[in-house]
Amino acid sequence: MSFCCGASMIGTKGTLKHIRTQIHNVPILFCPVCHRIEVHYLIENEYDILADYAHGDGAAEVDFMDYVDGKDHLLHDNCVNHEGEEPIEIVRCQIDMALDLLGVAKSLHDQEWEEQLMKRLKMLSARRDKLKNKKTSKK
C-alpha cells in the first residue's frame, strides 16, 4: 500500500510532463488529501528511460503503454482505492482509515500525529461534504 501524508494513495493513469514531452497513460499514485502525484514505483525505471529517450528524440508526446509491456495488472494491487471507484466511496474509505490511525495515535499518546490526522480528517470531511452537495444538486 502506498501512503502520502498518511492517506493511502489512489492508483490511476495520467499524463506527466518531462521537460517538453508529455507522456500519456503513465501508471501513477495520487494522494486525495494533498494531491501529490508520483510515478508508480514498479515502473519508475521504465518511465525515466522512456522520458529521457523521448525528450532526446524531441517527441512532443508519447504513450507510455506503447513502449512498456506487461506489468499493468500488478501496478495497483497495493492500492486501497482505484480511479474507477465512486469518489464519495474513496473519501469514505480514507476517512475510515484516518479514524483508525487516530485511535492508534491516541493510544500511543502521539500528539503531533493526532494533530496531523485531525487536519487530514477536516480536509477529507470537507471533500466528502462537497461531493455530497454535488450529488444532491444533480438530482
Side-chain angles (χ1 to χ4, degrees):
M1 198 172 337
S2 297
F3 291 97
C4 174
C5 68
S8 63
M9 297 181 82
I10 298 168
T12 187
K13 288 183 185 174
T15 297
L16 299 179
K17 189 170 185 175
H18 177 76
I19 306 173
R20 284 184 217 104
T21 304
Q22 288 195 346
I23 305 169
H24 303 289
N25 292 313
V26 178
I28 59 173
L29 299 171
F30 170 76
C31 178
V33 176
C34 70
H35 303 279
R36 189 176 112 214
I37 293 172
E38 62 184 47
V39 175
H40 195 289
Y41 68 91
L42 287 176
I43 53 90
E44 270 183 299
N45 292 335
E46 290 92 337
Y47 172 78
D48 290 339
I49 292 168
L50 177 61
D52 288 341
Y53 278 121
H55 173 67
D57 288 346
E61 295 183 39
V62 294
D63 190 319
F64 185 82
M65 290 304 166
D66 289 346
Y67 295 92
V68 180
D69 64 340
K71 289 184 185 175
D72 203 34
H73 66 285
L74 300 172
L75 292 176
H76 301 297
D77 285 350
N78 72 332
C79 298
V80 173
N81 297 106
H82 302 279
E83 178 184 34
E85 294 178 58
E86 285 292 320
I88 192 83
E89 291 306 314
I90 291 172
V91 172
R92 284 183 182 141
C93 181
Q94 295 288 330
I95 289 171
D96 288 345
M97 284 187 286
L99 287 170
D100 291 343
L101 290 172
L102 183 61
V104 173
K106 286 183 182 218
S107 71
L108 295 173
H109 306 290
D110 188 331
Q111 188 66 34
E112 183 180 346
W113 192 19
E114 285 183 50
E115 290 170 10
Q116 290 171 351
L117 289 165
M118 290 303 293
K119 181 180 174 185
R120 184 172 312 117
L121 281 164
K122 286 178 187 173
M123 290 173 69
L124 288 167
S125 294
R127 177 81 177 129
R128 182 198 59 206
D129 293 345
K130 186 176 177 181
L131 288 168
K132 279 183 177 178
N133 290 338
K134 191 176 179 180
K135 194 173 186 175
T136 13
S137 68
K138 285 184 180 180
K139 289 182 179 180

